[in-house]
Amino acid sequence: MAQTLERPEIADAPYKVVACHIPLRGTDGQNDGTTLDGYASYSGFGAKLWLPMLKQANCQAIVSGHMHRDRLDAASKEMPILQFVGGGPKPDQATLTIIDASDDGNQKSLTIRIVDLDGKVLHQHQWS
């Protein structure tokens, strides 16, 4: 990952979005996403290995699944990257994560949103 993040086409990209199946943060009450114990230890393991590199690369967002429940984890000092987590395998939990990037020559923008099967926006964030 470190070598990939240093490639010019990635290092110089205006926006960086990482996709990983397992979120790098557990939900509230599981763990803080940086420890290797407790119910969500898998999140802490990924965060310990990858988060320092993603922070250094100025990654804007992480898109994940695995939890079967949608959510958007806000950025914080400890976890400065937004984390979008998609929904579950049943129709009432199912979601679609949509990533729109544009560059009109003068302005670049990135929008990530999670919608349900009816198209209702559940979570969204835009950078420009």
Side-chain angles (χ1 to χ4, degrees):
M1 181 186 289
Q3 291 174 345
T4 299
L5 291 169
E6 291 174 357
R7 291 171 49 183
E9 64 271 24
I10 295 174
D12 297 338
Y15 302 107
K16 296 171 191 79
V17 178
V18 174
C20 56
H21 178 73
I22 297 176
L24 298 187
R25 292 186 242 182
T27 58
D28 290 341
Q30 289 179 336
N31 72 7
D32 64 1
T34 60
T35 59
L36 299 179
D37 58 350
Y39 175 75
S41 61
Y42 47 81
S43 292
F45 184 70
K48 182 178 179 182
L49 294 174
W50 300 332
L51 195 57
M53 289 182 276
L54 298 177
K55 285 179 184 178
Q56 184 175 348
N58 295 315
C59 178
Q60 282 80 15
I62 299 166
V63 177
S64 300
H66 186 74
M67 301 301 293
H68 296 198
R69 212 174 55 189
D70 65 271
R71 68 180 204 259
L72 173 56
D73 297 330
S76 67
K77 184 176 179 178
E78 297 79 30
M79 300 292 258
I81 304 169
L82 285 174
Q83 179 173 261
F84 294 81
V85 181
K90 297 177 182 175
D92 62 329
Q93 300 169 312
T95 61
L96 175 65
T97 301
I98 302 167
I99 302 172
D100 291 313
S102 68
D103 180 356
D104 68 5
N106 295 318
Q107 184 172 349
K108 296 169 178 51
S109 68
L110 173 71
T111 303
I112 301 177
R113 64 189 185 278
I114 297 177
V115 301
D116 66 15
L117 294 185
D118 293 324
K120 177 184 172 194
V121 176
L122 304 173
H123 309 283
Q124 178 172 307
H125 190 83
Q126 181 174 357
W127 296 263
S128 57

